[in-house]
Amino acid sequence: MVLIFKRTILSILIFTFLSACQSENKTAKKIQKDTAATEIEGSLVFNNVTLNQADEKGSPVWQVKAKKATYIKDKKIANIEQPTGDLFQDGKLVLRVSADNGEVHEDGEKILLKGQIVATDTRNGAVLKGDELEWFPKQDLLWVRNNLKGNHPQLQVTGNEGKYFTRQEQIELQGNVVAIAKDPDLQMKTEHFIWQIKENKAIGDKRLQMERYKDKIVTDRVESDLSEYNLKTKIATLKKNIQLTSIEPPVLIAGNAALWDVKNQTVLSTQPVKIIHQKEQLVITGNEGRVDLAKRVANLTGGVQGIGTRNQSQLYATQMRWDISTQNIDASGNVIYKQLNPPLNVTGATARGKLQDQSVVVNSGSGSRVVTEIIP
């Protein structure tokens, strides 16, 4: 038996049936026979029912099949049991849903499903699960609440609730959001998260923490106010108050703009960046920088400054290459080296050495000489 919801008007079949019941004419008897409906205390009960809605052109908008449907006349609500449904866009099937029970409200303007919700996007394979779902067909919107879980070859997500905009193929999750990506293993945690399935992007518009894993062990941990992770290229675009902590090598990278290549373990910043080696008590800053965590090498350019906080030795240059494993620094361009004990100030074209033990050799360039100032 089929009940049709068209635009904002409840099924012509149901309304005809209701008006016919009041007059008890021949039409009422015919419809009651065709639909096999039972009227109980002001409600109509249908078994093995199909509800659907079409647009002005007759194209399907949605269709729901249920084992049982009870239409409450005064509330204009149809309670449905064991529903399975299809959602269409432009006449094409895009989503399939199922639940334990549900309600069709306002002549099909809203559908509420409860219990063991499963919604599958037939275009991209994304599967959403939860305890409660509100379906707004005209808005192309699914609102999943309570224990939201999303699964896709790209990403697995959980959160308190989420809205799925089916036309854009975009999910917005809120509350205790955890997202896990593969190859390499990456876990993201935040309070608000946008997953653009079609564009292969995961976006954090609030402070977000990322953890990179290898063999179930954390290798890198990142926090930033804004982030965008490309699930295809494996590159994270980070902005504002960035803190990247590498376990090995043990360095902290801070700045306000960076590209983190998660797979290749490189960090590129075109804005001022600071690198801290806490164990060696060394801090290096520059206007731009690139850190290769896999090769353990950092290259900085523009107003570069290296400070050995243990002995307050300082090295200034236009460019600097830091071998994190050996702690050797190669500097070039307007080099200035300073130390406090013994007091010393040296300028030259290039420098090489270690700031931690003040073993720095400054060299002159072609046609110039090293200038050494010994401070009494």
Side-chain angles (χ1 to χ4, degrees):
M1 188 272 295
V2 178
L3 302 181
I4 302 173
F5 293 77
K6 190 171 183 180
R7 302 179 68 179
T8 59
I9 304 174
L10 187 61
S11 167
I12 297 174
L13 181 60
I14 291 181
F15 274 119
T16 305
F17 178 74
L18 294 177
S19 60
C21 283
Q22 294 173 355
S23 60
E24 295 185 354
N25 57 20
K26 294 181 180 180
T27 305
K29 294 179 181 179
K30 182 179 183 299
I31 294 175
Q32 189 169 14
K33 180 180 179 181
D34 291 343
T35 60
T38 303
E39 185 170 8
I40 302 175
E41 297 181 354
S43 299
L44 295 176
V45 180
F46 303 89
N47 293 314
N48 299 317
V49 65
T50 298
L51 313 174
N52 59 52
Q53 186 182 59
D55 60 19
E56 294 84 353
K57 297 179 180 179
S59 298
V61 175
W62 58 263
Q63 176 178 281
V64 174
K65 295 181 180 180
K67 184 178 180 180
K68 182 179 179 181
T70 303
Y71 180 71
I72 304 172
K73 292 184 286 185
D74 57 345
K75 295 183 179 180
K76 294 185 179 180
I77 295 176
N79 293 322
I80 50 180
E81 297 180 11
Q82 298 181 22
T84 59
D86 295 334
L87 175 63
F88 299 85
Q89 280 177 187
D90 306 322
K92 297 180 180 179
L93 175 65
V94 296
L95 205 72
R96 283 188 165 147
V97 298
S98 63
D100 288 342
N101 54 73
E103 300 171 354
V104 180
H105 288 249
E106 302 168 8
D107 302 344
E109 295 296 313
K110 180 179 76 172
I111 299 173
L112 175 64
L113 302 178
K114 295 181 179 181
Q116 301 187 70
I117 305 297
V118 179
T120 304
D121 193 312
T122 58
R123 299 163 298 179
N124 54 48
V127 179
L128 301 178
K129 296 181 179 181
D131 295 333
E132 186 173 292
L133 179 150
E134 278 191 275
W135 182 1
F136 300 91
K138 283 193 173 182
Q139 300 176 38
D140 299 322
L141 171 64
L142 291 183
W143 188 356
V144 183
R145 293 189 294 270
N146 301 329
N147 302 316
L148 168 62
K149 295 180 181 179
N151 193 19
H152 186 271
Q154 287 183 341
L155 199 67
Q156 293 179 341
V157 295
T158 60
N160 292 346
E161 63 178 54
K163 294 181 179 180
Y164 185 36
F165 299 90
T166 57
R167 190 167 292 277
Q168 293 84 7
E169 298 181 49
Q170 175 176 301
I171 304 174
E172 293 187 12
L173 297 97
Q174 187 165 329
N176 299 312
V177 181
V178 178
I180 299 175
K182 299 293 184 181
D183 189 31
D185 293 341
L186 183 71
Q187 179 177 269
M188 294 167 271
K189 293 182 179 180
T190 185
E191 286 301 309
H192 189 263
F193 187 79
I194 301 170
W195 177 16
Q196 297 176 343
I197 300 175
K198 199 172 183 179
E199 284 76 23
N200 302 301
K201 291 180 180 179
I203 300 170
D205 56 357
K206 294 186 180 295
R207 191 155 185 84
L208 180 143
Q209 182 189 83
M210 296 182 177
E211 290 183 337
R212 182 186 186 275
Y213 288 81
K214 185 177 182 180
D215 299 327
K216 299 182 179 180
I217 298 174
V218 177
T219 60
D220 308 288
R221 182 177 290 111
V222 176
E223 289 190 22
S224 65
D225 289 350
L226 301 172
S227 62
E228 180 181 298
Y229 183 56
N230 190 306
L231 295 159
K232 189 174 182 179
T233 64
K234 314 297 182 182
I235 294 176
T237 302
L238 310 171
K239 295 180 180 179
K240 293 186 179 180
N241 300 313
I242 302 165
Q243 286 193 340
L244 187 153
T245 303
S246 170
I247 306 302
E248 191 59 45
V251 294
L252 171 67
I253 303 171
N256 282 308
L259 293 177
W260 178 29
D261 189 326
V262 179
K263 191 167 188 176
N264 295 315
Q265 290 185 273
T266 62
V267 181
L268 175 66
S269 178
T270 57
Q271 293 188 21
V273 61
K274 178 188 289 186
I275 308 172
I276 303 172
H277 197 301
Q278 295 179 343
K279 183 179 179 180
E280 297 294 337
Q281 298 182 33
L282 180 64
V283 179
I284 298 181
T285 60
N287 293 336
E288 298 181 5
R290 183 180 186 275
V291 183
D292 191 324
L293 295 170
K295 295 181 179 179
R296 304 186 182 189
V297 174
N299 289 280
L300 293 92
T301 59
V304 186
Q305 176 182 359
I307 299 176
T309 57
R310 184 183 302 159
N311 52 31
Q312 293 302 306
S313 57
Q314 301 176 39
L315 182 63
Y316 301 87
T318 304
Q319 296 180 337
M320 201 174 290
R321 182 183 186 276
W322 176 29
D323 188 321
I324 302 173
S325 296
T326 64
Q327 294 301 307
N328 280 323
I329 294 177
D330 288 284
S332 62
N334 301 316
V335 171
I336 301 174
Y337 171 68
K338 296 179 180 181
Q339 67 179 44
L340 295 179
N341 188 21
L344 188 67
N345 192 334
V346 184
T347 62
T350 64
R352 179 179 175 81
K354 297 180 181 180
L355 288 176
Q356 295 91 325
D357 54 13
Q358 300 183 149
S359 58
V360 177
V361 177
V362 179
N363 297 306
S364 63
S366 177
S368 62
R369 62 180 182 175
V370 174
V371 178
T372 303
E373 180 183 358
I374 300 175
I375 303 172

